[in-house]
Amino acid sequence: MRIAVTGSTGLIGTALVRSLRADGHEVVRLVRREPAARDEVRWDPQRQHVDTNGLRGCAAVVHLAGAGIGDRRWTEAYKKEIRDSRLLGTAAIAEAVASLDERPRVLVSGSAIGYYGDTGDRAVDESAPPGYGFLPTLCVDWEAAAAAAQEAGIRTVFPRTGLVVARGGGAWGRLFPLFKAGLGGRMGDGRQYWSFIALHDHVAALRHLIDTETLEGPVNLTAPEPVTNREVTAAMGRVLHRPTPLPVPAAALRLALGELSGDVLGSQRVVPRALLDSGFGFAFPTVDEAVRAASA
């Protein structure tokens, strides 16, 4: 199968491309510079341009590109960069695939569990309404930006990604050095839910979305049982064999992270109802298993 991927150099994109190629699929990587390899296709999300010639013959397009949510403090300028990178990029990809004479069977267009906002102790699935604030509004508009593909009859799936447990990048990747140094601890009161997913399971779930014709619309990519930050802290200590004595006060997080601290201290208890109902099986369903897989 020929599959196009944006964001192919990111944490998830790199792992997805590796997995697809290992199984003999042809992967086309969309890049924002002049192509330097046969498998590269030029696109410019800011200018709403995609070289559609490079998408011809693709049975699937996986769109993962976007500025990192936690890469920098949320200034107004960076919030605009986060928003523009997602909305402009998604609209460009959706319009490009819709314009093809032979359209792909599926567009897997990234989203996030930020859609739900702070859910407290309440468990939510894909049927829940959006929350309030910057991230929920962003996710609503992000998914809406793929309208051109949906209107063209392309099966469009929105993987709402949770916290990916990986050592090599993402928010969780920043935790590993701290915990290995014995400096890890709960954040705030530790009662907030973290909806996690092992990187291996995330990649497997993306491939499941590509292959499963019955799945469309939002699909939560989280492990079956969300855990509290206190439980995450205990699991990191157990697996890495380190003490976890140093809680990070909420006030310190607010000072260090600004507006982003609301998402670190907020609670999201998200369950993957659509994935489970479609028969997807998790290789690392518990937080201990996910952390152990990432630290191997």
Side-chain angles (χ1 to χ4, degrees):
M1 187 187 300
R2 180 174 165 89
I3 301 170
V5 179
T6 75
S8 63
T9 59
L11 171 69
I12 297 168
T14 298
L16 176 63
V17 169
R18 184 187 309 119
S19 172
L20 289 169
R21 285 181 170 161
D23 285 342
H25 296 288
E26 179 186 359
V27 178
V28 175
R29 298 180 300 117
L30 277 73
V31 298
R32 303 181 194 191
R33 50 170 171 72
E34 199 62 34
R38 292 180 60 185
D39 67 340
E40 293 181 344
V41 172
R42 180 73 182 269
W43 79 309
D44 186 338
Q46 292 292 326
R47 294 176 52 209
Q48 299 279 279
H49 171 73
V50 179
D51 180 1
T52 54
N53 287 327
L55 299 182
R56 298 191 190 283
C58 287
V61 175
V62 182
H63 173 48
L64 302 173
I69 294 291
D71 285 0
R72 290 191 241 157
R73 191 181 179 91
W74 282 4
T75 63
E76 289 305 312
Y78 192 59
K79 283 165 67 176
K80 183 178 186 303
E81 183 178 338
I82 290 171
R83 183 176 174 84
D84 287 351
S85 70
R86 282 160 175 75
L87 270 59
L88 295 177
T90 300
I93 291 296
E95 290 165 11
V97 296
S99 72
L100 295 171
D101 293 331
E102 184 182 346
R103 295 165 182 153
R105 297 198 304 267
V106 60
L107 169 63
V108 178
S109 185
S111 186
I113 62 169
Y115 177 95
Y116 304 106
D118 190 334
T119 73
D121 292 338
R122 176 173 54 94
V124 297
D125 62 18
E126 292 86 354
S127 66
Y132 302 94
F134 173 66
L135 284 182
T137 300
L138 169 66
C139 290
V140 169
D141 294 342
W142 187 7
E143 293 178 12
Q150 293 175 298
E151 291 166 2
I154 299 169
R155 180 170 66 89
T156 304
V157 193
F158 302 107
R160 290 178 179 166
T161 297
L163 290 166
V164 179
V165 185
R167 187 174 53 183
W172 214 291
R174 299 182 184 184
L175 297 180
F176 273 97
L178 292 174
F179 278 86
K180 283 186 174 181
L183 300 175
R186 62 174 171 80
M187 298 183 182
D189 62 18
R191 291 182 293 185
Q192 67 273 30
Y193 276 90
W194 280 20
S195 296
F196 69 94
I197 184 169
L199 178 60
H200 173 96
D201 284 335
H202 194 287
V203 169
L206 288 174
R207 296 192 56 175
H208 184 72
L209 300 186
I210 293 171
D211 296 335
T212 307
E213 297 291 337
T214 56
L215 285 172
E216 62 181 308
V219 178
N220 295 331
L221 266 58
T222 58
E225 295 291 338
V227 293
T228 64
N229 175 257
R230 189 183 296 270
E231 292 171 301
V232 167
T233 300
M236 292 287 283
R238 280 193 300 270
V239 174
L240 299 177
H241 307 292
R242 294 290 188 276
T244 57
L246 301 173
V248 183
L253 282 170
R254 292 189 185 99
L255 182 63
L257 302 178
E259 187 179 347
L260 177 59
S261 66
D263 291 278
V264 174
L265 296 169
S267 182
Q268 290 195 304
R269 192 176 184 179
V270 180
V271 294
R273 179 58 51 207
L275 267 185
L276 293 173
D277 287 350
S278 69
F280 180 77
F282 288 85
F284 306 104
T286 70
V287 68
D288 283 71
E289 290 171 312
V291 172
R292 194 171 292 112
S295 59

